[in-house]
Amino acid sequence: MKSSLKWVGIVLILIVTAACSQQEEESAPSGEAQGIEVQHELGTTTVPENPEDVVTLELGVTETVAALGIKPVGVADDDRPERIAESTMDVIEGYKSVGARSEPSLELIRTLQPDVIIADVDRHEAIYEELSAIAPTVAVVNDTADYQDVLTATETIGRALDREDETEELLDEHQEMRKDLKESLEDVEGNVLQAQYTESNIFEAPTSSFFMPSFLEEAGLEYALQNEEETSEDLTIEQLLKIDPDTLLLTKNEDDPSVKDQLQDDKLWNQLTAVKEDRVFELNHNDWSRRRSIPAVNERMDQMKELFAAGN
């Protein structure tokens, strides 16, 4: 009898121990076990799985987040929502503006109680600790990004949002489009330069280290302004003439006057090969400079085909 009771007691102890162990596992703090570790430009950050409330602090970041199917609760939009692409606005309409990209409002971001913040390393490194005190913050290169930086940032954002499958699909589609573009540009001759004309009679030209020029090189074109240290250079008309690009892409804001009209009587301007060969194209500055994302360049590929077909 005592032996039977002894065995019953042992069984009960085992059952209770197993139940307690299971309960402890179920009630264990979620913390790191349920979070996602994301390596980024300013360190490693643990973000929650499937974050829903996201704040984005750079235009290219906002476009990427939208392309991955997430509507940010807060966006640094410079109080210029018209600069957000229609394809992105279709996803994010109704977001809360958190101010300028260069100086977002920490107070507004705090009120949104985000799950994660996606910042730009160049613009926001100085306030990274403050942002991190509000929510897990991941920093990527976008403001001064080249094409490879944007590819890396896209993968980082995808991991931070727990959307790696969607990110892989986005990048695979992009690579197919880029391959097709490169094949279509194989017979293009001469070099190309992108620039924005300013009121001080200076051409602000992005270099080969900046996003769109570096993408043009990936597409097989020769870019006329090589610089591994700086992302842009200021050129006088004389300096532009020394470079003398075969194709000139002039970016301007929506309300800016035509540069070709302004300079049509300028003697040096008319000596440019691109001018003489009618290969000067005026393009939207927002689309060709501010928008540094894979969705943005995808939207420009058909236009690139048209531009360079017209220039040859």
Side-chain angles (χ1 to χ4, degrees):
M1 183 71 175
K2 288 182 179 180
S3 177
S4 297
L5 289 174
K6 178 180 178 181
W7 283 108
V8 169
I10 292 173
V11 171
L12 287 174
I13 290 171
L14 291 173
I15 292 173
V16 171
T17 301
C20 290
S21 176
Q22 181 177 358
Q23 185 175 8
E24 286 177 2
E25 288 180 4
E26 292 175 352
S27 61
S30 56
E32 294 183 4
Q34 293 189 6
I36 301 171
E37 280 198 354
V38 181
Q39 293 184 346
H40 57 94
E41 297 296 328
L42 295 179
T44 300
T45 298
T46 301
V47 302
E49 295 178 353
N50 298 310
E52 296 181 0
D53 297 332
V54 181
V55 168
T56 58
L57 301 183
E58 182 55 68
L59 186 57
V61 171
T62 302
E63 292 188 342
T64 303
V65 169
L68 297 178
I70 291 181
K71 173 183 176 179
V73 293
V75 172
D77 64 355
D78 298 330
D79 295 320
R80 297 288 297 272
E82 66 272 14
R83 289 182 173 174
I84 296 176
E86 183 178 348
S87 56
T88 298
M89 188 61 83
D90 287 343
V91 176
I92 73 171
E93 190 169 7
Y95 70 86
K96 176 75 173 180
S97 173
V98 296
R101 292 173 295 157
S102 60
E103 195 174 351
S105 169
L106 298 176
E107 182 179 354
L108 285 175
I109 295 171
R110 191 175 292 109
T111 64
L112 296 173
Q113 300 182 324
D115 298 319
V116 63
I117 299 168
I118 312 292
D120 176 82
V121 64
D122 295 294
R123 291 192 191 274
H124 308 122
E125 184 173 8
I127 59 170
Y128 176 74
E129 295 300 329
E130 293 171 273
L131 290 169
S132 297
I134 297 173
T137 300
V138 172
V140 298
V141 179
N142 192 262
D143 182 40
T144 60
D146 64 14
Y147 174 61
Q148 291 298 326
D149 290 329
V150 169
L151 289 176
T152 299
T154 302
E155 293 178 340
T156 301
I157 292 168
R159 179 162 177 75
L161 299 182
D162 204 5
R163 296 288 178 103
E164 290 179 285
D165 289 343
E166 292 86 347
T167 303
E168 183 178 1
E169 183 179 348
L170 173 66
L171 292 176
D172 285 347
E173 180 184 8
H174 166 71
Q175 297 297 351
E176 285 300 315
M177 293 176 67
R178 191 189 73 173
K179 180 181 177 182
D180 178 66
L181 174 66
K182 188 170 184 177
E183 290 175 354
S184 73
L185 301 180
E186 285 181 349
D187 297 328
V188 174
E189 298 179 356
N191 60 18
V192 57
L193 180 70
Q194 178 180 330
Q196 182 183 27
Y197 185 63
T198 70
E199 293 180 354
S200 55
N201 300 321
I202 292 294
F203 292 86
E204 294 180 353
T207 73
S208 56
S209 297
F210 198 54
F211 176 55
M212 194 61 81
S214 61
F215 175 76
L216 293 175
E217 290 190 322
E218 288 287 339
L221 298 176
E222 179 186 351
Y223 195 71
L225 186 59
Q226 296 292 312
N227 189 328
E228 296 182 0
E229 302 299 326
E230 302 293 337
T231 57
S232 69
E233 292 184 21
D234 290 344
L235 305 174
T236 64
I237 185 70
E238 291 85 1
Q239 291 170 316
L240 179 61
L241 186 56
K242 287 182 179 180
I243 296 173
D244 197 21
D246 295 289
T247 300
L248 181 57
L249 308 178
L250 289 177
T251 65
K252 69 183 193 68
N253 293 314
E254 297 83 352
D255 300 329
D256 291 344
S258 167
V259 180
K260 292 195 286 186
D261 288 348
Q262 293 179 77
L263 297 177
Q264 61 181 340
D265 297 324
D266 187 287
K267 182 178 179 180
L268 294 179
W269 170 258
N270 286 295
Q271 291 180 33
L272 287 168
T273 297
V275 174
K276 290 187 290 186
E277 298 295 329
D278 194 26
R279 292 200 296 243
V280 178
F281 303 102
E282 294 187 322
L283 307 171
N284 184 286
H285 185 72
N286 200 56
D287 289 338
W288 281 78
S289 187
R290 294 190 188 95
R291 296 180 61 195
R292 297 174 288 276
S293 71
I294 296 305
V297 79
N298 284 352
E299 292 179 14
R300 301 275 70 76
M301 287 198 208
D302 285 342
Q303 186 182 19
M304 290 176 191
K305 293 177 184 179
E306 294 174 5
L307 290 174
F308 292 103
N312 286 270

